[in-house]
Structures are given as C-alpha cells and as structure tokens.
Amino acid sequence: MKAATLRTFQTVHTWTGLLAGFALFVAFYAGALTVFHDAIAAWQNPPWRTARDADVPISTLIERLVAEHPQAKDDFGIILPSDAAHAAYAYWQDDHGTRFATYSEMAKPSDEANRGNLADFVYELHDSLGIPVVGLYLMGIVSVLYGLALISGFLIHLPHLVSDLFAMRVSHNLKRLWQDAHNAIGVLSLPFHIIFAVTGSLLCLFTITLAALNTVAFDGKLYDAFAQAVTTAPSLPVSHTTAPMLPPETLIAQAQQAATTGGVSSFEPDYLHYMHYGDRNAVAEVRGLSQHTLGTYGTVALLAMDGKALSTHVGTRHTINGITNSAMYGLHFGTFGGNFVKWLYFVLGLAGAFLFYSGNLLWIESRRKRRHVDQPTRTRVMARATIGVCIGTCLGISGAFAAALVTSHLGTDSEIAQRVACYGLFLAACMYACVRPIPRATVELLAATSVLTITVVCADLIGNASALLNTASPQSFAVLGVDLTGIVLGLIFALLARATARRARQGDPRSVWALASTS
C-alpha cells in the first residue's frame, strides 16, 4: 500500500473515530447493559414486589378495554407480563394518538408505556443517547461513521495483521501497550463490530431511508409494498356477525403448540394483537421469542373465535422478509443464543466502549509534546472531554440505578428521578473534568463511580436478602445477577482509579495524566 494511501486511511480512521467516538462510547456502555434488559427490569421490580393489577386476568383486561373504549375493538394489542407478579397492559389508537393502560388505568390511559422503567431508559441511552426524535437519526449517522472507522482501521493494519495481532509489548512505553490493546480488541471483535455497524445503521435510519426511497424512487408506492411484504397475519374481511372469542390464555397455548411444529424448541409469548375483536372473522396474532434460532421473534396468527391457525412465522416457517427482520434484531442485541451469547455480547459491549476510550487516549498521546511539560490546548481539551464524557456516562448510569432503587422503596415515580440523576451526574462530571486538574479529576471520578456502583448494589442486596434466600425463580436469579455484575463493575472502576493514580505519580511527568504537570 502506498504511503499516501495509508495516510488517507489513517486520517479517515482518526477523524471518524473522534467524531463518533463519544456517542459510540455511550451506545456501547449502555448497550452492554441493554443485553440484560429483562434482568434490569426484574431488578427494579423484583418478583416478590407484586405490581398493581398483577392479579387481573388478561381476559378481564380486554373486557374492560372494549367496554370503555369500543373504538379500540378494530385494532389493539396486549403487552403480556414477564411473570405473575406484574400486570399486562393494553395499547390502542384513538383521537389523541397511542394510548396505554393497565386494568385500573383504563379510565385515564397514558400516552407512554412503562413510564419510569429503568431498563427502557438505559435502552434509550443506547439507541438515541436519550435525545427525543432526532437522537435515533443521529445515532444512525454515527453508525455510518463507525463503519468507516472500522473499514479504514482494518485496511491500515491489514499488512501487519498476523504479526501484530497478539503482540502485547509490555514495557515502559505505555502508548505502545495501549496501541497493541486497541488493535487486538479491534481486530478480534471486528466481525461483531461489522454486525453492530450494519444493523445499527439499518435500525436507526430505516424510517428515513424508507421515506426517501418512497418519494424519490418508488413514486409513493413503497409504503404499501413494504406493509404487504412484512405482514404476518392475514387480513380477513369483517363479517359484521358477532361471535364469542376464545379466552386469550387458550389462544396463547394454541399458538405455542403451532410454533413448536415450526421447528423451534421454545416460544415465549410477550405480545397479543387483536383485529376486529368480537367479530366472527376476528384475528389474534401472538408474538413470541424463541431461543437458539436466528429468527428469534416469530408470530402465529389464529382465528380468535376457534383458535384455528391461519399463518405461522416461526423457525423454519419464517418468510425471507420475516427472517431478515428478526435476524437483524437478533444479531444486534444477541437474542439468538441463550445466556452464553448474552454474556458474549455484554463483554463485547464493554470492549467496544474501551476501544473508543483507548482511541482517544492514543490520539492524545500522539499529539503531546514529549519534551515539554506544558501541553497543547487541544491535547488538554481532548483529555478533559474524554474523562468527562466517558467516566461521566458510567457515573450517570449508576446514578440512574440509585434513583430507581430509592424511588422504588419510597413508592414514588422514578422517571424524573432517573433522568435527573443520570443527566445531572453526567453534566457534573463534565464540569468537574473542566475545572479540576486532569489526573486528579480522572482518579476522583473513577473512584466516585466505583463507590456509587458498589453502594447501590450492596444496598439492594441487603434490602432483598431475605427474599433472595427464600425465592428461587429465574426472575430472582436475574436480580441477583444484576447485583453481582454491579459489584464486579464497581471493582473494575476501583482498579482503574488505582492504576490511574499510580500512573499520575510514577509515569512520564510531561504527560497530561501526570501529577507533576499540574504543579
């Protein structure tokens, strides 16, 4: 490869990484936690803390829905609870938009589902940085830049790929060690990063891309064609003849039976969708999650009157469109292979966050003046931004967990408390990094994150100790798993704080990370 070409790839890799790196750090750290979305939801609302309306049967919820909101009969959905301690809720469209309600909320439905759900808040940080409306599209652009950084980085290291892959040169030259770690993690996890970049771009930019193609290339016909391509339930004409509906529990059981004939070993329904409820031709569509298959999400459509299976899109019976949609989601979130794949994705998420953090450190090291204590302004600004945004993100998310824990015990709304704690701590960390000497700010923010993370999970363990000892269920194990993982993360932050403090005392005194540079 010519030197000029190599320099071009290095420039593309550096600037795409810097432009997208901060957003990608947030996306990867929050994304690693999002892999265990259901476990975090169980941590916030453990099975021994029964939610309101948890004892209301789904059929009773549906009866009240159609009685109080008859216009919903044409099209409504039921989000099924994850366990018996939580309540199902309905959603439908009316003149005010999409409405959500559990049984007791039916008279005053909400315009937002699961208000205050910590797991959903962490997911928001992952897919849109928590920014409404434009955040999703921003992350789509970031994903495209991420792909460019991956390709250019791979081409840069391609000539020396084999020889440098496992060359971890541990010496007094810390920059070389960080470079080796950055390269090794980047190359070893490259296939997964390609998956994340491609699926992330498609998931974030799909709507806007569809709208553009619909106008530019398909003369306004793309929306209808797309809807027909991805529809999984047959559309039957309304008969205008009323008929009794089978109980939803019966329909769910028949859907599970139909799904297993599609070649999957499991089918866990999480959503029930009705069209023309109460009519003789009413259709009920059951969506469920299957393990150990690429098409994890599947649906079974049934005639709601007698439970006759109308169409099955599960396992080997998925269409090409269905398997593509489901596979894209499964590949991005690691839902296709059970707990082993989830833990693999969790580690890859943390490794990805490290990749962008180490990329910034390398940029700083490459541009510092090695024979001068006084470093360039751009080097100091990048160092402050890196510790403020990256460590501030970790501190803010730990703060959201703390707020969720406190509000759950006080019985108050956690939505505002979570956001205030997360964004407040993040902004405070950024401001602290701007005014405090860089090495001291780094150590102190890492220590604060460690203390807060460990304190939250220890408080949760102590508060739930009796219930954890007396309740053996997948949900209780999930709660315990979140706490133990929090302790491990807190210890990692503590080790990083210790290593950073040692580096500040004993490292190169001309570095921005050295205490000597602040005196």
Side-chain angles (χ1 to χ4, degrees):
M1 187 182 300
K2 294 181 179 178
T5 305
L6 184 61
R7 282 196 297 274
T8 300
F9 284 135
Q10 286 174 333
T11 302
V12 171
H13 183 70
T14 298
W15 284 105
T16 52
L18 288 175
L19 288 172
F22 290 130
L24 287 170
F25 182 91
V26 179
F28 268 80
Y29 187 75
L33 303 181
T34 295
V35 170
F36 293 104
H37 177 280
D38 293 344
I40 293 173
W43 182 86
Q44 186 181 21
N45 295 296
W48 48 85
R49 193 182 303 150
T50 302
R52 187 174 60 174
D53 298 333
D55 57 346
V56 175
I58 298 170
S59 54
T60 305
L61 171 67
I62 294 174
E63 288 170 7
R64 184 166 183 182
L65 168 67
V66 298
E68 295 200 20
H69 305 278
Q71 75 278 14
K73 292 172 69 174
D74 279 344
D75 194 324
F76 66 89
I78 303 292
I79 307 299
L80 304 175
S82 57
D83 58 50
H86 296 95
Y89 65 90
Y91 86 89
W92 69 99
Q93 297 279 339
D94 66 10
D95 296 339
H96 303 287
T98 306
R99 316 297 282 169
F100 303 87
T102 62
Y103 178 82
S104 61
E105 297 167 345
M106 203 57 74
K108 293 182 178 179
S110 169
D111 58 359
E112 184 177 342
N114 284 332
R115 190 186 297 276
N117 190 311
L118 175 64
D120 287 349
F121 176 63
V122 175
Y123 177 79
E124 277 183 42
L125 295 175
H126 166 69
D127 84 330
S128 63
L129 307 179
I131 303 172
V133 186
V134 299
L136 188 67
Y137 305 127
L138 173 64
M139 287 308 297
I141 296 170
V142 166
S143 297
V144 173
L145 293 174
Y146 171 35
L148 289 174
L150 285 175
I151 294 170
S152 55
F154 179 74
L155 292 175
I156 291 168
H157 297 292
L158 185 60
H160 311 287
L161 190 63
V162 177
S163 60
D164 290 351
L165 182 57
F166 298 108
M168 295 296 290
R169 291 162 288 189
V170 180
S171 68
H172 67 281
N173 190 337
L174 287 178
K175 182 196 171 187
R176 180 178 295 170
L177 179 61
W178 278 99
Q179 181 77 63
D180 290 342
H182 181 86
N183 295 345
I185 291 175
V187 173
L188 290 174
S189 56
L190 182 64
F192 293 96
H193 282 284
I194 291 173
I195 289 173
F196 296 152
V198 172
T199 55
S201 303
L202 291 173
L203 290 170
C204 292
L205 298 176
F206 182 78
T207 303
I208 197 169
T209 304
L210 194 69
L213 290 175
N214 183 59
T215 303
V216 175
F218 290 90
D219 196 23
K221 300 176 182 176
L222 184 58
Y223 282 135
D224 290 340
F226 177 76
Q228 291 177 7
V230 299
T231 296
T232 55
S235 179
L236 301 182
V238 182
S239 70
H240 299 291
T241 302
T242 58
M245 302 287 98
L246 278 181
E249 293 81 4
T250 304
L251 291 171
I252 290 171
Q254 294 196 9
Q256 287 177 308
Q257 185 177 2
T260 55
T261 62
V264 295
S265 57
S266 64
F267 185 74
E268 301 170 13
D270 64 355
Y271 172 66
L272 181 58
H273 177 213
Y274 281 97
M275 289 172 283
H276 310 304
Y277 184 85
D279 189 86
R280 185 175 181 179
N281 283 345
V283 174
E285 187 179 21
V286 182
R287 188 189 71 181
L289 182 66
S290 301
Q291 297 293 339
H292 306 294
T293 175
L294 195 56
T296 49
Y297 272 109
T299 60
V300 178
L302 308 155
L303 201 58
M305 182 182 69
D306 58 9
K308 176 185 176 184
L310 299 173
S311 65
T312 303
H313 297 266
V314 177
T316 58
R317 297 189 178 183
H318 260 305
T319 62
I320 295 298
N321 291 321
I323 194 71
T324 302
N325 280 336
S326 188
M328 188 165 59
Y329 181 88
L331 286 170
H332 192 81
F333 291 100
T335 58
F336 56 89
N339 286 329
F340 173 77
V341 173
K342 284 186 176 181
W343 280 107
L344 176 64
Y345 269 60
F346 177 76
V347 173
L348 286 167
L350 295 182
F354 171 80
L355 203 62
F356 304 115
Y357 185 72
S358 61
N360 281 16
L361 297 186
L362 289 170
W363 187 91
I364 293 167
E365 285 297 303
S366 299
R367 283 155 181 79
R368 74 179 174 92
K369 302 293 184 183
R370 302 194 174 280
R371 298 184 183 278
H372 298 82
V373 174
D374 188 22
Q375 295 297 320
T377 301
R378 62 178 180 177
T379 305
R380 293 186 175 278
V381 169
M382 179 56 80
R384 293 185 186 281
T386 298
I387 60 174
V389 173
C390 297
I391 306 176
T393 297
C394 303
L395 181 64
I397 290 177
S398 293
F401 274 74
L405 181 65
V406 172
T407 53
S408 66
H409 284 279
L410 294 177
T412 56
D413 185 7
S414 62
E415 183 189 20
I416 296 177
Q418 285 169 187
R419 292 179 184 276
V420 169
C422 182
Y423 297 139
L425 286 172
F426 173 79
L427 292 174
C430 291
M431 293 174 64
Y432 194 75
C434 289
V435 299
R436 186 78 167 144
I438 294 170
R440 296 188 189 282
T442 309
V443 175
E444 290 159 1
L445 287 174
L446 282 169
T449 306
S450 172
V451 170
L452 180 60
T453 306
I454 292 177
T455 301
V456 170
V457 295
C458 286
D460 189 66
L461 280 172
I462 293 170
N464 294 321
S466 175
L468 285 169
L469 290 173
N470 296 306
T471 306
S473 70
Q475 295 294 314
S476 59
F477 290 139
V479 174
L480 182 62
V482 172
D483 283 330
L484 295 179
T485 304
I487 290 176
V488 172
L489 285 177
L491 292 175
I492 291 174
F493 288 125
L495 292 174
L496 288 173
R498 181 186 174 194
T500 306
R502 186 169 60 242
R503 167 81 173 87
R505 291 192 305 271
Q506 303 173 1
D508 187 345
R510 293 176 291 275
S511 168
V512 295
W513 310 107
L515 283 171
S517 66
T518 66
S519 59

